[in-house]
Amino acid sequence: MKVISVVSAKGGVGKSTFCVGMGRLLALHDKRVLLVDMDIGVRSLDILLGVSERVVYNWGDLVKGNCDFRKAVTEVASNLYLLAAPIDFSEEYSEEKFKKAINQYLKDFDYIFLDSPAGLESGFMLAAGATDSCIVISTPDAISIRAASYAAEKMKKSGISDIRLVVNKFNKKIHKNINVDEFIDNVGAQFLGIVPDSLEIYNSVNGKKIPYDCKGNQAFLRVSKRISGENVPFRTKLL
């Protein structure tokens, strides 16, 4: 996995916090990571990463040729960078041009995460055209499972075969009867891990860093190791 689209057809499942968590952990373990915000207009990664005041360019500027690709990114921390989303959509943002823009970073980064917006419109399709793998994020409820399944199917139709599933915001008291195998079958993706419903992760929406030793971050850590190719066993008991 090199260029990874993080997707769902539904909002509120935690795609952006997942991208931030993965980015920070992989960067901490000496991997160079670029997070790309695909949510045109709304945007969120600059807030979550606490760099709003430092963002100068976005990938729209890059596609239009308004800046060099090295200047388009904002350094967040050691090994971690952000490529922000543009404020408005433009007809110039074609899949071909966007992929060409992203490919300029392939030599400089170990991982590029494309944080897709809710829904399956322009931002999603641009990400699908530039990626070689996909992580579908779903919360453990029927609507999210359906949305995850739909997003996975759209990715398959775009030619992406490497599709993984992360179950997010898992609460062992509420979701104690969840059947993970059935969940995986419904979405049709390889299982990557479960992330618990966590106050620390929730607080990160306001730009706070997730404590390294909290359960949510440790779940992120296990997932990041699997993304890196480590053989991390799945727990026999859910969280």
Side-chain angles (χ1 to χ4, degrees):
M1 303 179 86
K2 176 78 170 186
V3 182
I4 306 168
S5 287
V6 179
V7 306
S8 174
K10 182 179 180 297
V13 297
K15 296 184 297 295
S16 296
T17 52
F18 175 83
C19 286
V20 170
M22 287 301 100
R24 283 178 168 153
L25 281 170
L26 288 166
L28 193 62
H29 290 82
D30 297 322
K31 303 295 184 182
R32 285 180 57 82
V33 182
L34 175 63
L35 303 181
V36 184
D37 195 336
M38 300 302 301
D39 200 350
I40 301 169
V42 178
R43 301 163 296 156
S44 63
L45 287 184
D46 60 317
I47 296 174
L48 291 174
L49 294 166
V51 295
S52 298
E53 301 300 321
R54 295 198 283 114
V55 172
V56 177
Y57 297 107
N58 56 63
W59 57 257
D61 293 312
L62 185 59
V63 169
K64 292 178 179 179
N66 295 336
C67 67
D68 180 79
F69 77 97
R70 297 176 186 86
K71 291 184 177 180
V73 299
T74 301
E75 184 175 5
V76 177
S78 179
N79 294 324
L80 182 60
Y81 293 78
L82 167 68
L83 181 56
I87 298 174
D88 299 304
F89 182 78
S90 169
E91 294 298 330
E92 293 186 59
Y93 303 157
S94 67
E95 291 183 28
E96 182 180 357
K97 287 183 178 180
F98 180 75
K99 182 176 182 178
K100 183 178 180 180
I102 293 300
N103 283 350
Q104 293 178 85
Y105 297 104
L106 292 177
K107 292 182 179 180
D108 295 326
F109 292 96
D110 297 299
Y111 297 99
I112 300 173
F113 287 88
L114 308 179
D115 181 20
S116 296
L120 305 176
E121 303 304 324
S122 55
F124 178 94
M125 296 310 300
L126 288 175
T131 195
D132 52 36
S133 54
C134 169
I135 296 176
V136 181
I137 307 292
S138 179
T139 50
D141 60 85
I143 295 175
S144 291
I145 293 170
R146 178 180 291 178
S149 177
Y150 190 40
E153 189 60 33
K154 289 286 284 187
M155 278 289 173
K156 290 175 185 175
K157 289 181 179 179
S158 296
I160 309 303
S161 58
D162 186 4
I163 301 175
R164 317 286 181 95
L165 169 67
V166 169
V167 180
N168 201 19
K169 300 184 180 181
F170 178 84
N171 186 312
K172 64 180 179 182
K173 292 182 179 179
I174 298 174
H175 308 118
K176 60 183 177 180
N177 295 321
I178 185 175
N179 185 322
V180 175
D181 291 333
E182 184 177 336
F183 202 128
I184 296 167
D185 289 341
N186 285 335
V187 177
Q190 182 181 345
F191 188 53
L192 193 57
I194 292 179
V195 178
D197 194 11
S198 165
L199 179 61
E200 291 85 359
I201 293 177
Y202 177 80
N203 286 337
S204 71
V205 173
N206 295 316
K208 295 182 179 179
K209 288 188 177 181
I210 304 170
Y212 189 83
D213 58 352
C214 77
K215 286 185 177 180
N217 204 64
Q218 290 303 303
F220 277 153
L221 180 61
R222 290 190 292 273
V223 171
S224 72
K225 288 181 177 180
R226 293 180 188 123
I227 289 174
S228 297
E230 292 187 39
N231 184 17
V232 180
F234 291 97
R235 294 185 174 187
T236 55
K237 187 176 181 180
L238 295 179
L239 301 175

